[in-house]
Amino acid sequence: MKKPWISPADKAKLKRSDSSSSSSSSSSSSSSSKSSQKSVKENVTDVEIHCTTETKKTPPDTAKMDIETIQEEFVKVEEQPRLNAVLNNKPANVSESVEIQPDIAPRRELSIDNTESLEVEHALQTLDNSIIAAEQSPSKYQGHFVVVAIDFGTAYSGYAFSFTRDPDSIHMMRKWEGGDPGIINQKTPTIMLLTPDGSFHSFGYNARDNYHDLDKERAQEWLYFDKFKMTLHTATDLSTDTMLTAANGRHYPALKIFTYAMSYLRDHVIRELSDQSGVKILNEDIRWVVCVPAIWKAPAKQFMRQAAYKAGIASEEFPDQLLIALEPEAASIYCRKLRMHQLVPESPRQVQSPTRSEPVNLDNAFEVSNQGTRYMVVDCGGGTVDITVHELDSTGKLAELHKASGGPYGSIGVDVEFEKLLMSIFGKTLIEQYKVKRSAGWVDMLIAFESRKRSASPYKTSPLNIALPFSFIDYYRKHKLTGIDTAIKRHGDKDITWSSQGMLRLAPEAMKTLFKPTIQKIKEKIGSILNNNIKDLKYMFLVGGFAESAIVQSEIRQEFGNLIQVIIPQGVAMTILKGAVLFGLDPTIVNVRRCPLTYGVGVLNRYNPKKHPLKKKVSRQEIEWCTDIFDKYVVVDQPVTIGDVILRSYTPARPDQRLIQINIYCCEDNDPKFITDPGVHKVGTVTLHLSGTSEDKMPKRREIQTRMQFGETEIRVSALDVSTGEHIQSTVDFLSR
């Protein structure tokens, strides 16, 4: 039995008990379905709503729903007591916000006569045929013969592709313009340069070099953006109006920046594919995959999708041409196919045979092809660290055992520590002023540090020299009336010195100190998962650009090597891209995911003075209700299979109603009581666009069935009008608050 991981802070005060790691966890669990009778809430506008909630499992490879399952669902809708709530007289064509209101009176059994049964059967057949027709209707996007995966990273971006006729061959892009001479660059820096009027100028190495070549006066007018992807993770109110701040302090719409970047990558991809295939490749020939961190919330994922649409990568009319891949999932898909010669040895002195290509099953090797194998993937990127835990099932599919976790613990954390070091040596005020007034010089300084950061190793004993720009040396001398060497001596750290060649010299221990805070956070996050009662976890795959660092590799192996086998692939930074291509070829390969949050809607329940607070009591039509109750769709860390759907049915109050909007709420708690609880917030809105069927042709009992899916990388919603058999246009919006 493996010992639990204990953090350095806990080691001094905690003793391990024999039972701390003995509890086991099940590799699979089923989500229980709920059904409750529904009515209407205080702020409902002229809408009659009746809904029932069921979790249904639909095979991902079929478009046809089971008729008996649908019939059961329809009967449950029919047995709901009806409640008309006409609170305001709004025009029928305006937006009508809806909160679902369940009546939780005991369920009554129905006896349906033959006539009623025939009507139900006819409606169900209409619904079933409508589903097939909607999913088989002809569209512009009929297929693809190449899969392209884009890794839009915080520090670096790139892409890989595979032709469907040869899915085992994954090609990496290696021809980025403007890179360092003599070096094959598989990725380019995620840097954007705009002209003073906000027009696109260049991206990647070209943007970096062009900005470097500007004189200091002109540089202050140009807009330079670096590591801007982190805004999508850190912004608390992300929307299409979110702004980014350039190096010179000017603000610019984030959506335009991301669209410029995606457009550049799209054009680069199509040119490269056309050159390699010898024929002109069109956008509709490509299935696109865009990688995002697994810990990103729904608004950030939708933001990337919207930027892709604006860049001409797929469209809202044909959304399935674009897949959103979760970075640690993509890495997991690739890592399970690795061979021994594709791994990084545990120390530089170990050598492995490059000729051995078959899977190995030795004590010092690994085998991920056996059913039930469980492993962890730790994706250390430029901005974030993502961690997921997977199990291989009997069909070769992957099931997630623990909801994706992590945080902003990427390599830019080391950059932050370097900036803190400069402030401690030269003064906080001076550094902040230099960043704004000499922005090009500041960028040059970070580029110089980046190269030394990437080459730092625990096995090296020689110091690392960081070239400080002449503009900084001159700026410091003018404002402090003294030299750089004087400030470094005054700082008093023997591991930090100044060389006569104009270099800031860091001893290996000083460089390692800059890594420590970020690595410690990574260790704590990994340790918390290892201590989370996940039984029989065999391997830990360390992947991502930050995992290229020899310091990171050494620290993780030293900390966890006695608890779990740590495996590091060769070309660790390309692991996600290669796995994302495989995901594009088979999007069902991860067929069970864990919900990252609890999602639901606000409802009314019958007021119960024994469990409901008085302040939540409202009266409608002489009935007492409790308002703002959180009605859960799914709960945090709940396993959800691809094809699982949450069914809800609604009846509009008027036949000519055009729009229904339902607010979606989320939280990290697994049992929220009210949508007003601390930590609960509105995350999005589901909008149902109803057809304009005339009132005289509309049946009295109009049912609108919505189908919510939480088992994919994005939340999906679809809807059908049971009365007419028409597919209802439905959208879920996470960017409008």
Side-chain angles (χ1 to χ4, degrees):
M1 185 176 295
K2 295 180 179 179
K3 298 180 180 180
W5 180 79
I6 303 177
S7 67
D10 292 338
K11 287 179 181 178
K13 55 184 179 180
L14 295 178
K15 293 182 179 180
R16 184 179 67 85
S17 64
D18 293 336
S19 62
S20 62
S21 62
S22 62
S23 59
S24 62
S25 65
S26 175
S27 64
S28 62
S29 63
S30 61
S31 58
S32 61
S33 60
K34 303 187 304 178
S35 174
S36 60
Q37 299 177 342
K38 316 284 183 184
S39 276
V40 96
K41 188 188 173 192
E42 179 179 8
N43 63 351
V44 178
T45 357
D46 200 38
V47 179
E48 178 187 2
I49 292 188
H50 319 279
C51 67
T52 182
T53 304
E54 291 290 329
T55 301
K56 306 289 185 187
K57 291 182 180 292
T58 303
D61 57 349
T62 180
K64 188 170 174 18
M65 295 178 63
D66 182 81
I67 287 187
E68 292 182 0
T69 301
I70 302 177
Q71 182 168 353
E72 177 187 4
E73 179 64 22
F74 188 88
V75 172
K76 288 181 179 179
V77 172
E78 285 296 302
E79 69 185 47
Q80 306 304 318
R82 302 293 173 171
L83 175 64
N84 266 324
V86 183
L87 304 179
N88 295 296
N89 292 321
K90 277 192 176 182
N93 60 350
V94 301
S95 172
E96 304 183 42
S97 295
V98 174
E99 297 288 352
I100 307 163
Q101 320 301 330
D103 177 354
I104 59 170
R107 182 176 298 281
R108 57 187 175 86
E109 297 297 328
L110 289 183
S111 62
I112 303 177
D113 58 27
N114 292 335
T115 303
E116 236 177 346
S117 298
L118 291 174
E119 291 177 352
V120 170
E121 182 178 357
H122 173 71
L124 294 172
Q125 290 175 350
T126 301
L127 173 63
D128 195 51
N129 293 334
S130 180
I131 292 174
I132 298 173
E135 300 194 7
Q136 293 183 351
S137 60
S139 67
K140 171 184 173 185
Y141 177 62
Q142 296 287 352
H144 54 271
F145 63 83
V146 61
V147 172
V148 176
I150 296 176
D151 184 3
F152 194 94
T154 301
Y156 290 86
S157 296
Y159 64 85
F161 57 91
S162 177
F163 293 98
T164 55
R165 66 175 182 268
D166 186 16
D168 293 331
S169 298
I170 299 176
H171 308 276
M172 307 297 299
M173 176 57 201
R174 301 171 184 265
K175 299 178 182 178
W176 295 107
E177 297 178 2
D180 299 323
I183 298 177
I184 296 177
N185 300 296
Q186 295 181 315
K187 289 187 177 182
T188 192
T190 308
I191 296 173
M192 176 68 64
L193 182 63
L194 306 183
T195 62
D197 64 358
S199 301
F200 174 81
H201 183 271
S202 50
F203 180 82
Y205 284 111
N206 281 340
R208 184 195 71 178
D209 296 342
N210 287 324
Y211 189 65
H212 172 80
D213 293 340
L214 294 172
D215 58 56
K216 64 181 181 181
E217 287 78 15
R218 292 192 64 201
Q220 286 302 104
E221 300 174 358
W222 289 59
L223 285 75
Y224 180 92
F225 298 90
D226 188 14
K227 300 179 176 63
F228 50 87
K229 178 185 172 185
M230 280 299 292
T231 301
L232 302 192
H233 177 71
T234 57
T236 56
D237 54 350
L238 182 67
S239 72
T240 53
D241 298 324
T242 297
M243 305 293 284
L244 295 178
T245 303
N248 61 2
R250 286 178 56 184
H251 299 291
Y252 198 83
L255 188 58
K256 285 189 176 181
I257 295 294
F258 280 85
T259 300
Y260 282 147
M262 298 292 274
S263 296
Y264 174 86
L265 292 170
R266 172 189 177 275
D267 294 344
H268 203 289
V269 165
I270 292 178
R271 285 198 307 270
E272 179 69 16
L273 290 178
S274 298
D275 290 345
Q276 290 216 14
S277 63
V279 297
K280 183 175 178 58
I281 300 294
L282 303 178
N283 181 64
E284 50 263 36
D285 298 327
I286 303 171
R287 162 163 274 179
W288 298 91
V289 182
V290 174
C291 305
V292 303
I295 59 173
W296 269 13
K297 293 182 172 57
K301 296 176 184 177
Q302 190 169 71
F303 188 98
M304 288 296 290
R305 179 172 282 275
Q306 290 300 316
Y309 287 164
K310 289 183 175 295
I313 295 177
S315 66
E316 293 183 357
E317 291 76 19
F318 309 103
D320 291 340
Q321 191 184 358
L322 170 63
L323 300 176
I324 298 295
L326 307 182
E327 291 169 358
E329 277 190 6
S332 174
I333 294 168
Y334 176 74
C335 285
R336 68 197 185 103
K337 295 179 175 292
L338 289 174
R339 304 295 184 260
M340 280 298 294
H341 75 277
Q342 296 173 295
L343 306 184
V344 174
E346 293 193 10
S347 71
R349 299 175 182 82
Q350 293 184 355
V351 179
Q352 295 174 338
S353 170
T355 60
R356 186 162 194 167
S357 60
E358 70 276 6
V360 212
N361 191 13
L362 304 173
D363 291 339
N364 63 343
F366 74 100
E367 174 68 68
V368 194
S369 60
N370 294 330
Q371 176 184 353
T373 300
R374 296 181 170 190
Y375 58 92
M376 173 189 295
V377 177
V378 182
D379 170 25
C380 302
T384 59
V385 167
D386 277 342
I387 305 173
T388 190
V389 180
H390 281 160
E391 179 179 33
L392 192 68
D393 68 15
S394 58
T395 65
K397 305 289 187 180
L398 297 173
E400 194 173 32
L401 301 181
H402 186 280
K403 73 181 184 74
S405 60
Y409 317 137
S411 63
I412 61 174
V414 184
D415 300 343
V416 171
E417 293 301 315
F418 177 63
E419 184 175 339
K420 290 179 180 178
L421 174 62
L422 294 177
M423 289 181 176
S424 66
I425 297 174
F426 305 112
K428 181 178 180 180
T429 301
L430 183 134
I431 293 297
E432 290 177 343
Q433 291 175 348
Y434 178 76
K435 287 169 63 177
V436 175
K437 295 182 178 180
R438 299 289 187 272
S439 54
W442 175 252
V443 169
D444 288 343
M445 190 184 302
L446 291 182
I447 291 173
F449 174 72
E450 176 72 16
S451 64
R452 294 296 174 259
K453 179 181 72 175
R454 294 166 70 90
S455 64
S457 170
Y459 308 108
K460 292 182 179 179
T461 58
S462 56
L464 295 104
N465 296 322
I466 302 169
L468 300 186
F470 174 77
S471 64
F472 178 75
I473 298 173
D474 182 64
Y475 188 86
Y476 184 83
R477 184 183 299 111
K478 288 181 178 179
H479 287 77
K480 295 295 185 178
L481 303 178
T482 185
I484 295 287
D485 54 340
T486 302
I488 294 175
K489 289 178 182 178
R490 190 186 304 120
H491 181 65
D493 189 335
K494 63 180 179 60
D495 290 329
I496 302 174
T497 57
W498 178 251
S499 73
S500 57
Q501 291 80 25
M503 300 283 188
L504 180 66
R505 180 167 290 176
L506 301 183
E509 193 60 34
M511 177 61 82
K512 189 175 179 180
T513 300
L514 300 180
F515 280 74
K516 281 183 179 179
T518 301
I519 291 179
Q520 184 57 36
K521 292 174 183 176
I522 298 173
K523 290 178 180 179
E524 290 173 357
K525 186 60 68 172
I526 295 173
S528 67
I529 296 177
L530 290 177
N531 289 341
N532 199 40
N533 299 327
I534 300 177
K535 187 179 179 182
D536 298 330
L537 201 58
K538 296 186 67 175
Y539 310 114
M540 178 198 301
F541 290 99
L542 191 64
V543 301
F546 194 25
E548 286 183 317
S549 167
I551 293 178
V552 173
Q553 295 178 7
S554 174
E555 288 288 323
I556 297 301
R557 274 178 162 152
Q558 287 181 18
E559 188 72 29
F560 301 105
N562 63 329
L563 301 176
I564 189 171
Q565 187 172 352
V566 179
I567 298 173
I568 304 172
Q570 296 277 6
V572 63
M574 299 296 109
T575 303
I576 294 169
L577 267 178
K578 294 176 181 178
V581 172
L582 297 175
F583 175 76
L585 293 166
D586 180 10
T588 68
I589 196 164
V590 180
N591 66 345
V592 179
R593 293 183 174 88
R594 297 277 176 155
C595 294
L597 295 167
T598 296
Y599 289 97
V601 294
V603 302
L604 291 179
N605 277 355
R606 289 292 182 88
Y607 181 75
N608 184 343
K610 294 183 178 180
K611 65 177 183 178
H612 295 147
L614 182 62
K615 65 180 180 180
K616 295 291 185 182
K617 184 172 73 170
V618 296
S619 295
R620 292 291 178 269
Q621 298 185 353
E622 299 181 354
I623 300 176
E624 292 182 340
W625 302 90
C626 180
T627 187
D628 293 336
I629 289 180
F630 194 116
D631 183 35
K632 300 184 288 288
Y633 284 165
V634 289
V635 300
V636 63
D637 209 29
Q638 173 184 333
V640 185
T641 303
I642 291 181
D644 284 3
V645 297
I646 303 295
L647 300 180
R648 288 184 182 269
S649 295
Y650 310 98
T651 300
R654 302 187 314 278
D656 60 348
Q657 186 175 325
R658 296 291 183 267
L659 200 66
I660 293 180
Q661 289 186 323
I662 306 168
N663 292 332
I664 307 296
Y665 297 88
C666 73
C667 66
E668 297 182 357
D669 187 7
N670 61 359
D671 191 24
K673 303 301 182 185
F674 301 98
I675 61 174
T676 55
D677 286 351
V680 177
H681 63 276
K682 176 188 168 186
V683 69
T685 302
V686 172
T687 301
L688 306 178
H689 302 268
L690 307 184
S691 63
T693 305
S694 60
E695 185 173 352
D696 58 338
K697 295 182 180 180
M698 185 62 63
K700 294 182 179 179
R701 308 291 287 276
R702 187 182 186 187
E703 301 288 348
I704 307 298
Q705 185 188 76
T706 63
R707 308 167 74 233
M708 300 276 295
Q709 294 180 296
F710 293 87
E712 301 182 26
T713 59
E714 298 173 277
I715 298 173
R716 299 170 68 97
V717 61
S718 59
L720 287 165
D721 190 330
V722 178
S723 306
T724 65
E726 294 181 358
H727 182 77
I728 297 295
Q729 181 185 354
S730 53
T731 58
V732 55
D733 182 9
F734 296 108
L735 293 173
S736 298
R737 301 299 178 91

